[in-house]
Each structure stands twice: as structure tokens, then as C-alpha cells.
Amino acid sequence: MQKEIKHTFYFSQTPQEVWEYLTKPELMEQWLMPSDFKPVVGHHFRFTNPNNSFVVCEVSEVKPFTNLSYIWKNDWAVTKTPYTSKVSWTLTPMEGGTELLLVHSGFELFKDLSAHNSGWMFLVNKLGELFKAGKK
Amino acid sequence: MRTQTLDAFQVIADPSRRQILTMLSKDSMTINSLAENFDMSRPAVSKHIKILYTAGFISITDIGRERHCVLKQDGFDEIQDFINYFDKFWDGKLKKLQMILNNKAK
């Protein structure tokens, strides 16, 4: 079972241009969600989902044109399934553009399992077997 | 004892219940042998096992006088769904960003 999400995308723009789309609310809104984001460590902000629910966030790292991360939580006031996670963006200049890596990880729920990595791996393997068994 | 209905995340939020799942990932175990691994009382362990059972994380089979616990897939599905949801979410969003930037480059 997967416990973190990773995606790598390539763009023909420079890291500076891609960075704008990660940090300017009017540009973020075009592809992600409306928010009151500011690229300032410690800034609390919210993304608004189309159904008017919120993702509650806090900026944890800003290294212009290179790294951006924020804590990503759902709205604990209205949910029965609270979680805390971390979204990290890494921009790497490449010939002819930028590599953008997204890692969405640290789902609080999985923290202890990750800390006991061997136990977790065992569980993962066991689950893999269960999934296979279920599909037969 | 009050009956608890917890979702999959609340179920695995408890360290003792995660420990039970980890132990069961190695082999099926009886409730008695599970309970021996904990400092808490046998009824307290039984309560956790009941919660795991109710949420579909384990199944319990009676063999003779012993109750054997085995991992079950159902409870884990909800957690996998959650991860899959975000995986698709970001993939979709990033494809949109790529489209916007590609159009801009033209």
C-alpha cells in the first residue's frame, strides 16, 4: 500500500515562471483552487473546494523558485475523518524547462506505521497478498 | 460496553490497534495470545479487537475454545481509496497546469 503520493511533471517554462503558478493566488486558481495563499512561512491560508469545503493550510517552507511546502489538513470542524499531511513542491531547472516534483506525504494517520518501518512493510506485503487473493 | 462505530481512520488512529494489526500481519493469532502482548486488561484488548472486527480490519474464527483473529481486506480499502483519491486529484490538477502553460508557450 502506498503511503505517499509523488508526481513529476515537465514544463518548457523556467522555474521562475512555474513558481508563479504555485504562489500567485490568481494563477493558482486557474489550475488548482481559489485560496488566500501568500509565499510566507507561517502564513495560514485556505483552499476552497468547489463544494465550498476548505483545505486548511500553513506555509512551512519557501525557497523561491526551488522549494515550497505547506501543511495540508481538511476542515476538522466539519469532518469525521481528520488528517494532516504535507504538500511539497520542488522545482529543478533543466535544459529547455523545469522539472516539477510534487510529494504529498506524511498523512498523520500513517505516522506510527512509518516509524515502525519493518512492521509497516510486513503489513504492506501482507496487504499485497490480500489484494491479490481478493482479485482471484 | 458501548458499541462504537468508527471509520477506518479513527480505527487505526489508536496505537494499540495498529500494534494488533502489525502483529496479525505476521500470523493469525488468538485473542489470548494477542492480549499477552499488552499491559492493559484482557477486556480492554477485547474492546480494541471488537472495534477492528466491526470496521472490517479482521475476521474472527472460533476454533475449539480459542478465538483466532486474521487480517481482513475490507477495512484497509477505505484507506487505500483515500490515497488513491489524492493521487488522482493531483494528477488531474497538474495536467491542467501543464495544459495552461503549454498554451501560454504557443
Side-chain angles (χ1 to χ4, degrees), chain A residues 1-2 5 7 9-13 17 21 30-33 72 80-81 83 87 89 100 102 104 107 109-110 112-113 119 122-123 126-127 130-131 134, chain B residues 7 9-10 12 15 18 21-22 24-26 71-73 76-77 79-80 82-84 86-87 89-91 93-98 100-102 104-105:
Chain A
M1 190 158 75
Q2 186 188 0
I5 295 158
H7 286 287
F9 275 67
Y10 300 91
F11 300 96
S12 57
Q13 281 77 9
E17 284 174 277
Y21 278 83
Q30 287 180 26
W31 65 278
L32 186 51
M33 282 181 281
W72 173 287
K80 70 182 181 85
T81 307
Y83 66 86
V87 172
W89 301 96
L100 177 66
L102 158 77
H104 190 169
F107 290 100
L109 303 153
F110 300 98
D112 280 25
L113 286 172
F122 223 105
L123 188 55
K126 183 74 185 175
L127 281 172
L130 282 170
F131 288 134
Chain B
D7 66 44
F9 294 100
Q10 292 168 315
I12 63 159
R18 280 198 296 269
L21 290 176
T22 307
L24 290 175
S25 73
K26 297 176 179 101
L71 281 189
K72 198 177 162 202
Q73 189 185 335
F76 295 95
D77 284 347
I79 293 161
Q80 185 63 61
F82 178 82
I83 298 286
N84 288 346
F86 274 111
D87 200 34
F89 170 85
W90 285 116
D91 191 51
K93 295 294 185 193
L94 282 162
K95 279 183 178 143
K96 199 168 170 187
L97 176 61
Q98 203 161 40
I100 290 170
L101 288 173
N102 281 345
K104 209 178 151 232

